[in-house]
Amino acid sequence: MSRSERFLRACRGEAADCTPVWFMRQAGRYMKAYQEIRARYPLMEMFRTPGLAAEITLQPVRAFSIDAAIIFADILLPLEGMGIGFEFVESRGPVIARPVRSAADIEALRVADPEEDLGYVLEAVRNVRAEIDGKVPLIGFAGAPFTLAGYAIEGGGSPNHLLTKRVMYEQPEAWDLLMDKIVRTLVPFLKAQVRAGAQAVQLFDSWVGCLDPSDYARYVAPHTRRIFRELRAEAIVSIHFGTGTAGLLPFMAEAGGDVLGVDWRLPLGEAWRKAGPGVHIQGNLDPAALLAPREVLVRKAVEVLDSAAGRPGHIFNLGHGILPGTPEDSVRALADLVHERSAGLSRTQPSAAT
Ligand code: CP3
């Protein structure tokens, strides 16, 4: 079986010759080739220039034996077209100059247009697909409604999402309107990525783990569910990712996605149990393991493979993005190790998944 089929087969729960592997944030600062481009252009220009974004997307695909590419973009890009301007500030991350907090702020927001506001991402998708067609599949993505609403309200990263929760609890109608506008922005954007050539999509709900299950079910799931329902018409596979979600997995599975992405805070066997039948699992090595001595990296990667026990629907990934400072050699060794160690596992019995 070729490198091109493993990832999509695993996302559908089908047997593959070995476990597919890719890494969140596989294109980025830990790579020398990325740093060379980064030294010459501001980050936003890299996202907005399809030729550059396509080249950066392909860097890790050329350097490592990974089984999927993910388009080089950022989850925050759709906010701009909604009227929420932001900047990436060196060593601070994203900063939103005028966060949205009142009903009036939310009423003033627009629904972004994928071609007009995000055409550069779609062009990068077309460029990458033209270059790698047949080699590895291309993943498109968006931030999930909760995580995007969190950035819009907090104005940047946040340790506890207190302001976000205050809007949820104190202004539930404004909250629903904000989530609705985000969903109406993301659905056409994700569909446009698919039409431009993305063969899978991942929804990043990176910070949703700050919610308890009842708030998730009440304030988030109905909105996220709309996105996955709309994607069903597109004949692609979808991945639903979050961190700190051990208590939320049954609700996330119900909201949608062929695959749930989980972090290292729970064993994979438990993730399968909580996700329920028919849902596949992506994860879940601690990204810090890539900075550990080689024998520790090997031991922890083998532990992840062992806990997946050769189930057909496992996609090996980290529990969150690659950390800056990660040695490229460790990434290369990990991708190779996943393929070598999983090739011998029995993977023809779907019954092993229960
Ligand atoms: O390789 C890939 O995974 C594709 C590219 C990608 C980026 N951002 C590029 C990027 C993806 C999938 C994202 C998603 C993203 N962006 C998320 C969800 C995933 C996650 O990590 O939880 C979030 C929360 C963001 C928002 C964001 N973008 C932050 C908080 C930051 C600054 C902190 C950081 O990690 O650097 C960014 C900037 C950003 N987006 C960089 C990259 C490669 C760093 C760019 C640089 O400084 O050179």
Side-chain angles (χ1 to χ4, degrees):
M1 180 181 302
S2 73
R3 189 180 173 197
S4 67
E5 292 170 63
R6 273 176 209 141
F7 168 76
L8 293 174
R9 287 186 66 90
C11 290
R12 295 190 293 256
E14 297 164 8
D17 59 340
C18 59
T19 302
V21 53
W22 69 281
F23 302 111
M24 289 181 280
R25 295 284 179 97
Q26 63 192 17
R29 275 169 299 181
Y30 77 100
M31 283 189 84
K32 192 159 170 294
Y34 174 88
Q35 286 163 10
E36 280 164 11
I37 297 182
R38 182 76 171 90
R40 288 159 48 210
Y41 302 94
L43 188 55
M44 280 306 271
E45 195 174 333
M46 289 160 60
F47 292 134
R48 284 201 190 110
T49 311
L52 284 179
E55 169 58 24
I56 296 166
T57 301
L58 292 168
Q59 286 174 345
V61 178
R62 292 193 200 106
F64 314 117
S65 63
I66 46 178
D67 298 300
I70 180 162
I71 194 69
F72 182 74
D74 196 273
I75 60 165
L76 302 180
L77 299 176
L79 294 183
E80 201 173 40
M82 297 181 70
I84 306 170
F86 64 90
E87 267 185 293
F88 287 106
V89 179
E90 207 61 54
S91 77
R92 249 186 90 191
V95 176
I96 287 158
R98 287 193 303 279
V100 295
R101 295 189 183 154
S102 68
D105 293 340
I106 291 168
E107 274 155 24
L109 296 177
R110 299 188 294 273
V111 170
D113 179 89
E115 298 290 341
E116 226 164 84
D117 298 310
L118 295 153
Y120 56 93
V121 176
L122 305 177
E123 189 56 29
V125 169
R126 281 187 283 269
N127 285 358
V128 171
R129 188 62 198 274
E131 282 222 25
I132 56 160
D133 206 14
K135 200 169 175 207
V136 293
L138 175 61
I139 305 171
F141 70 86
F146 175 80
T147 290
L148 285 182
Y151 277 104
I153 293 168
E154 304 287 337
S158 163
N160 52 23
H161 284 81
L162 189 55
L163 294 166
T164 309
K165 290 179 184 180
R166 285 190 58 181
V167 174
M168 257 167 43
Y169 299 144
E170 293 171 10
Q171 307 179 74
E173 283 171 14
W175 170 260
D176 278 335
L177 180 63
L178 173 59
M179 295 291 268
D180 175 67
K181 286 184 174 182
I182 293 173
V183 169
R184 285 192 284 134
T185 292
L186 297 184
V187 167
F189 178 44
L190 286 165
K191 288 187 173 185
Q193 290 184 59
V194 172
R195 279 160 205 165
Q199 294 140 294
V201 297
Q202 176 157 321
L203 214 55
F204 284 90
D205 217 347
S206 304
W207 309 129
V208 76
C210 73
L211 295 178
D212 67 34
S214 102
D215 283 351
Y216 180 84
R218 181 186 183 110
Y219 297 104
V220 178
H223 303 285
T224 300
R225 189 180 298 123
R226 278 171 66 197
I227 297 180
F228 285 109
R229 195 176 290 150
E230 293 269 358
L231 286 174
R232 259 190 246 147
E234 296 293 321
I236 44 119
V237 292
S238 55
I239 306 169
H240 190 178
F241 165 78
T243 67
T245 56
L248 303 180
L249 287 182
F251 302 92
M252 288 178 70
E254 201 270 319
D258 300 292
V259 178
L260 282 184
V262 299
D263 75 12
W264 59 94
R265 295 171 183 90
L266 87 168
L268 282 187
E270 239 175 84
W272 257 289
R273 229 175 3 260
K274 290 183 172 175
V279 179
H280 314 301
I281 298 289
Q282 174 173 282
N284 70 342
L285 183 69
D286 183 344
L290 281 167
L291 292 108
R294 187 58 54 90
E295 65 274 16
V296 177
L297 171 62
V298 169
R299 171 171 57 78
K300 294 180 78 62
V302 169
E303 280 168 11
V304 170
L305 286 171
D306 285 349
S307 66
R311 288 174 176 89
H314 178 220
I315 298 106
F316 193 103
N317 204 315
L318 306 175
H320 207 165
I322 293 187
L323 297 165
T326 295
E328 291 185 47
D329 260 0
S330 299
V331 175
R332 182 172 299 109
L334 177 58
D336 291 344
L337 177 148
V338 170
H339 290 145
E340 284 157 19
R341 294 286 180 120
S342 62
L345 295 172
S346 160
R347 47 190 55 259
T348 48
Q349 302 156 359
S351 60
T354 52

